[in-house]
Amino acid sequence: REAASSSGKNLEIIYVPSDRSPDDAMQRASSLGMMSVPHGKEADDIKTKFKIWSGAEAIKLGFGRRSGVPALVVLDGKRGEEMAFLAAEAEGVNALRNWPLDEEDGIW
């Protein structure tokens, strides 16, 4: 978020919870300083759309995921379409190094 801000990019990170309870999800989003979608069906719908969920959610959401959590999906702010996927579960903080914030519009 700081790198995006310092490069003049408008960025918002929205937390999609995989926490075990709504209270846990709210506490985590608050501690991270992020907006959050509600725990439950709305979060599950987003996770299945982008095929990202925790291993503990496999019984509920299936086994066809492309990544566990955490992961970042970069969306176009106007259309909400996926621009890029950052595999933070597999790559950790290195996933963010692949984000071209210094390019004109930050698109791959």
Side-chain angles (χ1 to χ4, degrees):
R1 194 180 297 167
E2 291 174 20
S5 180
S6 67
S7 68
K9 305 290 188 221
N10 186 17
L11 172 76
E12 186 62 53
I13 300 173
I14 301 171
Y15 181 66
V16 180
S18 286
D19 301 270
R20 296 189 189 277
S21 74
D23 288 341
D24 289 347
M26 287 176 49
Q27 286 178 348
R28 186 178 311 267
S30 177
S31 72
L32 295 170
M34 295 180 186
M35 293 190 299
S36 177
V37 298
H39 185 274
K41 182 174 176 3
E42 188 171 348
D44 290 348
D45 289 347
I46 292 169
K47 289 183 273 192
T48 54
K49 176 179 180 176
F50 295 107
K51 298 182 180 186
I52 301 167
W53 54 84
S54 71
E57 296 174 297
I59 299 299
K60 176 173 64 168
L61 300 177
F63 295 96
R65 67 182 187 167
R66 68 174 164 176
S67 176
V69 295
L72 295 171
V73 177
V74 181
L75 302 176
D76 174 279
K78 294 179 183 169
R79 297 181 307 274
E81 295 175 7
E82 183 174 333
M83 295 170 43
F85 168 72
L86 303 173
E89 178 192 39
E91 300 174 21
V93 72
N94 291 328
L96 295 174
R97 292 190 181 112
N98 296 325
W99 193 341
L101 286 170
D102 55 344
E103 291 182 11
E104 178 67 24
D105 52 6
I107 299 175
W108 285 256

